[in-house]
Amino acid sequence: MGLALTELTVSHFRSHKLARLSLDGRPVAIHGPNGAGKTNILEAVSLFSPGRGMRRASAAEMTRRPEGLGWKLSGLLRAQGQNFEVETWSEGGAARQVRIDGKAASQIDLGKLARIVWLIPSMDRLWIEGAEGRRRFLDRIALSFDPSHAESSLTYEKAMRERNRLLKDQVRDAHWYTALEGHMAETGHRINTARLASLDHLRAAQEQAETAFPSAELELVQTEGTMPDTVDDLREALHESRFRDLAAGRTLVGPHRSDLYGVFAAKGVPAKDCSTGEQKALLVSLILSNARALAGMVGAPPIVLLDEVAAHLDAARRAALYDEICALGAQAWMTGTGPELFAELGERAQTLVVTDGEAGSVVRA
Ligand SMILES: Nc1ncnc2c1ncn2[C@@H]1O[C@H](COP(=O)(O)OP(=O)(O)OP(=O)(O)O)[C@@H](O)[C@H]1O
Ligand SMILES: [Mg+2]
């Protein structure tokens, strides 16, 4: 039995006042009209992994209005052949907390238990918008392979913020920079290595799979210059860049300047120049490769959240997606406005219907 949420209680979270769900591990097909509260359920599930969830919202934004008291999610997570009681909550908009089996836990602890990956509508523009979104996408994938990736990113960003402050303040005294650049070199190198390893995992998973989705050639590129590939070289590059960085008022070398470049392999066309549907299919393909690679690596596929994906695929691709999800054995949570979008799944999925009621969203099995 793979990774799955088997019980979920959503309390005072966005449009949901109280929803109690029992899940049996099959994929979950959620349908209902616009604004009913479907995506909010997926967002709740995404908070069973580290970070701010799939909308990157603050704890305060997720608090049900107008009450504004705070929110709580509790679930029974089946992972590594065991059941874990996981609770995460925020009081009055304060940073969220986590408890596993009644004990205070960190988000990294959560990451070790639950690997959760997602595709949401705003990613439709991933290939054509800025590098930041693609870096974030790749970093979620890296985090799924290596839960400590989040820590590297946080440490790197903190050191960089401090270095950028020195640059803005036109501080020239070398000793202020040395220690920060040392931290940045170490964590930056770790970030880069984890990203490259993720691309290798994805490539291997793409090669091995028989899939109806197009494969992507992926490459990590640098906005400018090159990314030094040892800790010492990165430290050296940061040192050498000080003068230029002082002029720019920010750090110009490092993994925060990397970008994910994708090509639709069969056509040799850069992802950004592909059709809307092709770009979407590439993303689905990457998420499925991520799931396959994880299944091979940790023995179970991740929980997969697919918000409004079905609506953007033609019937043949949709059926192929469902077949691949079922073959993987992943608990995929999918949303759509009507049941017809999930017809090809039949009994292979569990259905939830969400409607907008008097006292907020109502969820029925
Ligand atoms: N903090 C909050 N408190 C109360 N309601 C909220 C809060 N945040 C969002 N909502 C409301 O939740 C409702 C449902 O949102 P959700 O995104 O889940 O809809 P959906 O069912 O996915 O709809 P669609 O099919 O349009 O994507 C929206 O009407 C939104 O205004
Ligand atoms: Mg939605």
Side-chain angles (χ1 to χ4, degrees), residues 241-279:
S241 185
R242 273 183 213 166
F243 191 67
R244 211 166 56 111
D245 292 358
L246 271 165
R250 66 200 166 93
T251 305
L252 297 174
V253 285
H256 65 287
R257 305 271 285 171
S258 300
D259 192 0
L260 175 66
Y261 179 71
V263 171
F264 194 111
K267 296 189 173 179
V269 175
K272 67 171 171 47
D273 300 326
C274 287
S275 78
T276 316
E278 286 170 339
Q279 292 186 28

Side-chain angles (χ1 to χ4, degrees), residues 20-307:
R20 288 177 199 280
L21 314 177
S22 285
L23 299 315
D24 58 19
R26 280 181 295 168
V28 185
I30 305 174
H31 68 83
N34 291 139
K38 305 177 297 293
T39 302
N40 293 343
I41 294 180
L42 262 56
E43 185 181 32
V45 176
S46 73
L47 290 166
F48 284 81
S49 69
R52 290 167 64 143
M54 84 187 191
R55 280 188 175 117
R56 299 173 33 78
S58 67
E61 284 172 281
M62 298 185 281
T63 300
R64 183 176 150 81
R65 291 185 303 264
E67 299 92 316
L69 300 171
W71 49 267
K72 180 166 186 183
L73 308 169
S74 2
L76 199 60
L77 191 70
R78 194 180 61 204
Q80 301 146 13
Q82 273 176 276
N83 285 314
F84 298 88
E85 268 177 54
V86 179
E87 295 159 288
T88 182
W89 72 96
S90 159
E91 272 161 37
R96 75 162 164 136
Q97 301 183 57
V98 178
R99 213 154 44 194
I100 300 175
D101 285 336
K103 286 195 268 306
S106 70
Q107 296 201 20
I108 294 176
D109 296 332
L110 198 56
K112 288 179 191 152
L113 275 191
R115 282 151 156 110
I116 306 183
V117 299
W118 54 75
L119 263 192
I120 60 176
S122 65
M123 291 178 182
D124 287 359
R125 301 182 54 81
L126 190 89
W127 298 114
I128 40 186
E129 284 180 345
E132 192 187 349
R134 287 184 292 276
R135 268 196 308 272
R136 196 181 303 132
F137 178 72
L138 178 58
D139 283 333
R140 283 298 314 179
I141 294 176
L143 175 69
S144 78
F145 290 124
D146 173 9
S148 74
H149 187 65
E151 217 174 4
S152 314
S153 303
L154 288 175
T155 317
Y156 179 81
E157 270 155 31
K158 184 164 174 275
M160 184 169 74
R161 269 198 307 276
E162 286 178 37
R163 187 177 185 273
N164 285 348
R165 202 172 310 131
L166 296 179
L167 295 167
K168 275 213 188 71
D169 294 345
Q170 294 290 309
V171 174
R172 282 160 196 276
D173 192 342
H175 92 272
W176 287 103
Y177 288 92
T178 310
L180 288 175
E181 288 169 3
H183 283 308
M184 286 176 70
E186 222 166 272
T187 50
H189 175 69
R190 229 181 289 147
I191 291 169
N192 193 55
T193 308
R195 286 176 180 163
L196 291 171
S198 303
L199 293 184
D200 285 341
H201 296 318
L202 291 179
R203 275 185 210 113
Q206 286 193 138
E207 274 166 24
Q208 285 154 14
E210 265 195 51
T211 164
F213 290 90
S215 59
E217 280 161 17
L218 299 169
E219 218 183 310
L220 196 58
V221 296
Q222 221 43 24
T223 316
E224 191 193 309
T226 50
M227 172 71 202
D229 56 12
T230 67
V231 178
D232 288 340
D233 288 350
L234 180 53
R235 192 188 299 111
E236 192 54 37
L238 284 162
H239 185 136
E240 271 171 21
S241 185
R242 273 183 213 166
F243 191 67
R244 211 166 56 111
D245 292 358
L246 271 165
R250 66 200 166 93
T251 305
L252 297 174
V253 285
H256 65 287
R257 305 271 285 171
S258 300
D259 192 0
L260 175 66
Y261 179 71
V263 171
F264 194 111
K267 296 189 173 179
V269 175
K272 67 171 171 47
D273 300 326
C274 287
S275 78
T276 316
E278 286 170 339
Q279 292 186 28
K280 186 88 183 185
L282 279 177
L283 289 176
V284 173
S285 166
L286 290 179
I287 287 290
L288 289 172
S289 301
N290 186 179
R292 259 185 242 111
L294 268 176
M297 191 184 286
V298 299
I303 293 175
V304 181
L305 309 177
L306 301 174
D307 195 21

